[in-house]
């Protein structure tokens, strides 16, 4: 199984690292609400916009930011992430549906700030 890895939202959102999205099945232009199957953010918000959110940084925006990084980590073949793609999506959906964002945001944050191998 090896050491667990994860790259931060800051890594994924930087212009010089956008090429790291290529091995995943996701694009910077994918719509957040479509990917996560919830009307959580503005209907036109892309994954890249969610990972680099505008202020104010509400708890929901923080959760969305961490969820996008978690999704990219989970689907990148060079990252040994702690969660699967389906787990990330379900965790976001459960947190959104319950209105309890902080615990899931913090869990994603911990996993997203492990060693980044990219």
């Amino acid at each position: 199984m090896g050491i667990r890895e994860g790259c931060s939202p800051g890594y994924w959102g930087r212009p010089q690292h956008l090429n790291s999205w290529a091995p995943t099945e996701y694009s910077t232009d994918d719509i957040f609400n479509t990917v996560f199957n919830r009307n959580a953010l503005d209907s036109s918000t892309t994954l890249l916009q969610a990972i680099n959110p505008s202020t104010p940084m509400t708890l929901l925006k923080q959760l969305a930011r961490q969820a996008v990084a978690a999704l990219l980590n989970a689907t990148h073949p060079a990252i040994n992430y702690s969660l699967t793609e389906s787990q990330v999506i379900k965790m976001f959906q459960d947190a959104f549906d319950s209105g309890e964002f902080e615990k899931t945001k913090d869990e994603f944050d911990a996993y997203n700030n492990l060693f980044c191998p990219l």
Side-chain angles (χ1 to χ4, degrees), residues 5 13 16 18 30 39 46 63 67-69 71 76 82 95 101 106 109 112 118:
E5 301 164 331
Q16 67 269 31
L18 295 183
D30 288 341
N39 290 323
T46 65
L63 171 62
V68 172
L71 189 66
H76 197 288
S82 299
F101 307 147
D106 291 347
D109 183 47
N112 292 338
L118 306 180

Side-chain angles (χ1 to χ4, degrees), residues 12-14 17-19 21-22 24-32 44-51 68 72:
W12 290 109
R14 286 193 185 97
H17 296 149
L18 295 183
N19 63 336
W21 291 51
T24 76
E25 62 187 75
Y26 296 100
S27 162
T28 56
D29 294 331
D30 288 341
I31 301 299
F32 181 90
S44 63
T45 301
T46 65
L47 293 181
L48 183 60
Q49 290 169 326
I51 209 164
V68 172
L72 295 170

Side-chain angles (χ1 to χ4, degrees), residues 93-105:
Q93 291 172 341
D94 289 348
F96 181 75
D97 292 350
S98 72
E100 298 294 325
F101 307 147
E102 193 148 16
K103 180 180 177 221
T104 302
K105 174 198 62 86

Side-chain angles (χ1 to χ4, degrees), residues 48-110:
L48 183 60
Q49 290 169 326
I51 209 164
N52 291 319
S54 58
T55 54
M57 187 73 127
T58 64
L59 198 52
L60 176 57
K61 286 183 180 180
Q62 292 174 44
L63 171 62
R65 181 173 198 249
Q66 293 296 336
V68 172
L71 189 66
L72 295 170
N73 285 318
T75 57
H76 197 288
I79 298 175
N80 185 21
Y81 197 60
S82 299
L83 302 169
T84 66
E85 175 183 18
S86 60
Q87 286 174 317
V88 169
I89 292 171
K90 176 131 178 43
M91 287 171 67
F92 175 83
Q93 291 172 341
D94 289 348
F96 181 75
D97 292 350
S98 72
E100 298 294 325
F101 307 147
E102 193 148 16
K103 180 180 177 221
T104 302
K105 174 198 62 86
D106 291 347
E107 189 172 352
F108 286 153
D109 183 47

